[in-house]
Amino acid sequence: MDSFHATVFALKFHKDFVHILKASSAEENAEFSQNGRMYDIFSRYGLLYKLYNKENTDWLKPIDYHHVDEVMNAEIEDSLKYLKWEIEN
């Protein structure tokens, strides 16, 4: 897959996947490229190995969804706290 939203849904519903980064032009700044948010989510969840790499097969390893759930639940809790604070203040 090469879609940010498909990746989020795969994580939410515990689906195995491998991600293929989109090709970017040489002059494109990596920080602002379409792949930037993919690197962010994969690093936050400890899944950089799920980025397809023809040089090795690490991307074949299964995902530790226990860890993914812990991170996701913490992020959800933080988001709800923030929203509640914004509504009340």
Side-chain angles (χ1 to χ4, degrees), residues 16-83:
D16 198 21
F17 64 90
V18 62
H19 185 83
I20 300 171
L21 293 173
K22 295 181 187 266
S24 60
S25 63
E27 68 274 355
E28 189 175 14
N29 184 335
E31 183 179 348
F32 300 105
S33 75
Q34 293 182 17
N35 294 324
R37 63 183 178 169
M38 298 312 302
Y39 280 113
D40 177 58
I41 195 168
F42 280 91
S43 64
R44 270 191 288 147
Y45 289 95
L47 297 173
L48 287 170
Y49 67 93
K50 292 304 277 185
L51 296 172
Y52 176 76
N53 180 343
K54 66 181 177 183
E55 304 298 321
N56 66 51
T57 58
D58 287 349
W59 52 270
L60 291 169
K61 294 179 188 175
I63 295 171
D64 176 5
Y65 275 106
H66 178 73
H67 174 73
V68 170
D69 288 343
E70 286 178 348
V71 175
M72 191 176 295
N73 289 334
E75 290 179 339
I76 290 169
E77 186 177 326
D78 289 345
S79 295
L80 290 173
K81 285 179 185 176
Y82 173 77
L83 288 172

